Amino acid sequence: MFKGFRFAVMLALVATGCGQSSTLVSADGRAELEESEVTPELPRTTTNEPMDGGCGEPVPPPPPPPDSCSLSRPVLRIEDCPTEEGYRVTGYTKPDPRGPELVVLGIYESSSDHSATGEATVHVKRTTPHVLVLSSYEPTRWTLDVAPGARLERVILNGYHAQSLASVPAGVVVESRSEVGHYLSACAYKWPDDNQGCNTQGLMTGLQRLTSHEVTDFAGCYRATQFTVEDGPGSCPPPPPPPSPVKHEAVCTPGQGTLSTYVAPTLGSPELHLLGVYESHSNHGGGTHPEGAATVDVTRKSPLILTLSSYEPIHWTVNAARGARIQRIILNGYHAQRVTAPEGIPVENHSGPGKSLGAYAYAWPATSGGSDTQGLVSALESLTSTRLSSFAGCYQGTYFKLGE
């Protein structure tokens, strides 16, 4: 995916007890200053080569094109990469990135003592929306220190052994792809690859398939425990003010569960909203599935894509208030769905056996049984190239209101 792209990363000295010289590292991992050879513990070691990395050094963005404003790019710092052992930081910054930021921090281990789970801390200060990927071969418990104003939307954990978070920040979606049978790549700590058993490019490919976006920034070292993701310099005007908060209302059948909601910490444009139920009535069974009915009132004035989902068949009625800006309606369900909506709004129907994006989703973040809320969300995000803005659902419901 990134073959042929070459770059250089200047590793700057910081006061963390590292050496007193600067090192220029090329994309193929060769350093201008000689390092002693080390033989790191790897799942499949084939060569002895000093690792690329440093201590406290940001991975700088490339210069902006002439006569254009420079969007602030993230700066990735690995504060304690052990250069005295011959390791150094390598990094990658996607030139002229488009779409959401997908930031990867990779290590082989957080501790050389493999008798217990290691610990690592990531200080998140990045003020633009981003997805953070944390990858380690050895088991690691990650702590996120999220600063006020940071806009972390999603965390993906990857590794051969189990990875975990000490706590989950409010509003942040967490997805674990760790352990055998689930990981995207056993390990990835060196750019473009370590050629000794880990697979950095395999992780890049897996993340692109999972998120439908290319990795925009990467920094890695064989062993580290302290990381920072922060803003770099930029000259573009500040972003527009955020849209109004999302407000959900619903009529859910008593005794059939309560309304379950989620609102993303940042909202894209257009917004992507998902309203879901399992059914609108219980008069079905034995192979009989009569159509139910549900009504949705939209008073929200931001441009939006509205998704309506049910397992049982429903005739949805969508009412748009004056000023509402529904750009598109998507229907989803195991059984057939249909909608009556204001004239001129495009409708995509992904309902019926073998046609749905996901059988059903009525609770956040998930429910037991056949419900797959996150699977449906991923399919919708891929279909629309838009991050989910909000979700509201209940097991049996007949009315929703999407407002502000």
Side-chain angles (χ1 to χ4, degrees):
M1 176 168 55
F2 310 113
K3 187 175 181 180
F5 175 70
R6 298 181 61 84
F7 67 100
V9 180
M10 181 64 73
L11 306 180
L13 176 68
V14 294
T16 55
C18 297
Q20 300 298 313
S21 61
S22 298
T23 306
L24 185 64
V25 182
S26 65
D28 59 7
R30 294 194 298 267
E32 297 295 336
L33 301 182
E34 289 191 5
E35 305 287 345
S36 59
E37 290 192 334
V38 296
T39 306
E41 178 188 350
L42 290 169
R44 298 186 302 277
T45 300
T46 57
T47 62
N48 296 331
E49 179 187 358
M51 299 298 102
D52 288 2
C55 189
E57 54 282 62
V59 179
D67 302 321
S68 70
C69 80
S70 173
L71 287 172
S72 170
R73 296 296 306 276
V75 171
L76 314 184
R77 296 182 182 273
I78 300 181
E79 310 291 352
D80 59 349
C81 185
T83 54
E84 69 280 2
E85 298 181 32
Y87 302 117
R88 290 177 289 157
V89 169
T90 54
Y92 165 77
T93 297
K94 187 177 187 292
D96 193 23
R98 292 288 185 267
E101 291 179 2
L102 184 56
V103 178
V104 180
L105 297 174
I107 55 176
Y108 180 83
E109 62 186 16
S110 53
S111 171
S112 58
D113 179 6
H114 299 162
S115 63
T117 298
E119 299 278 347
T121 300
V122 182
H123 304 278
V124 182
K125 304 177 183 180
R126 181 68 171 149
T127 57
T128 59
H130 61 284
V131 175
L132 180 61
V133 181
L134 306 174
S135 178
S136 173
Y137 177 86
E138 294 293 341
T140 299
R141 181 174 181 261
W142 301 85
T143 297
L144 296 179
D145 175 23
V146 182
R151 300 173 69 181
L152 177 62
E153 294 186 336
R154 181 180 178 188
V155 174
I156 301 172
L157 302 174
N158 175 77
Y160 184 85
H161 293 286
Q163 310 295 307
S164 62
L165 284 182
S167 61
V168 179
V172 176
V173 177
V174 178
E175 183 173 353
S176 179
R177 293 283 175 159
S178 64
E179 298 187 270
V180 175
H182 301 285
Y183 62 75
L184 301 173
S185 171
C187 47
Y189 65 88
K190 182 180 178 182
W191 189 269
D193 250 320
D194 72 304
N195 300 318
Q196 298 186 49
C198 288
N199 188 0
T200 303
Q201 296 307 312
L203 178 57
M204 304 303 107
T205 301
L207 287 170
Q208 184 173 5
R209 290 174 178 167
L210 178 65
T211 66
S212 300
H213 299 290
E214 292 185 354
V215 169
T216 57
D217 301 271
F218 171 91
C221 177
Y222 183 81
R223 184 190 313 125
T225 64
Q226 295 292 322
F227 308 82
T228 300
V229 181
E230 59 189 357
D231 293 337
S235 60
C236 285
S244 302
V246 178
K247 182 179 180 181
H248 295 114
E249 297 179 26
V251 175
C252 300
T253 303
Q256 296 286 356
T258 59
L259 178 66
S260 175
T261 63
Y262 162 80
V263 177
T266 57
L267 306 180
S269 182
E271 299 172 357
L272 176 61
H273 300 278
L274 170 58
L275 306 178
V277 297
Y278 180 85
E279 62 187 14
S280 60
H281 64 79
S282 56
N283 184 26
H284 51 77
T288 302
H289 300 273
E291 183 181 70
T295 299
V296 178
D297 289 338
V298 179
T299 61
R300 189 163 180 80
K301 296 179 175 60
S302 301
L304 62 89
I305 300 170
L306 179 63
T307 302
L308 308 173
S309 177
S310 172
Y311 178 86
E312 294 292 339
I314 289 183
H315 178 196
W316 300 84
T317 299
V318 175
N319 302 311
R322 182 184 297 274
R325 301 167 65 185
I326 306 174
Q327 295 185 348
R328 181 178 171 190
I329 294 175
I330 300 173
L331 299 177
N332 175 77
Y334 183 82
H335 292 284
Q337 312 291 307
R338 63 189 180 105
V339 64
T340 299
E343 185 177 356
I345 300 178
V347 176
E348 292 182 31
N349 198 328
H350 297 270
S351 67
K355 299 179 181 179
S356 66
L357 301 172
Y360 57 96
Y362 62 85
W364 189 272
T367 56
S368 59
S371 174
D372 184 10
T373 302
Q374 297 307 315
L376 177 55
V377 169
S378 294
L380 284 170
E381 290 181 337
S382 178
L383 176 68
T384 63
S385 299
T386 304
R387 295 281 185 189
L388 183 72
S389 298
S390 82
F391 169 88
C394 55
Y395 184 83
Q396 187 179 110
T398 57
Y399 174 79
F400 290 92
K401 182 178 181 179
L402 179 62
E404 52 194 10

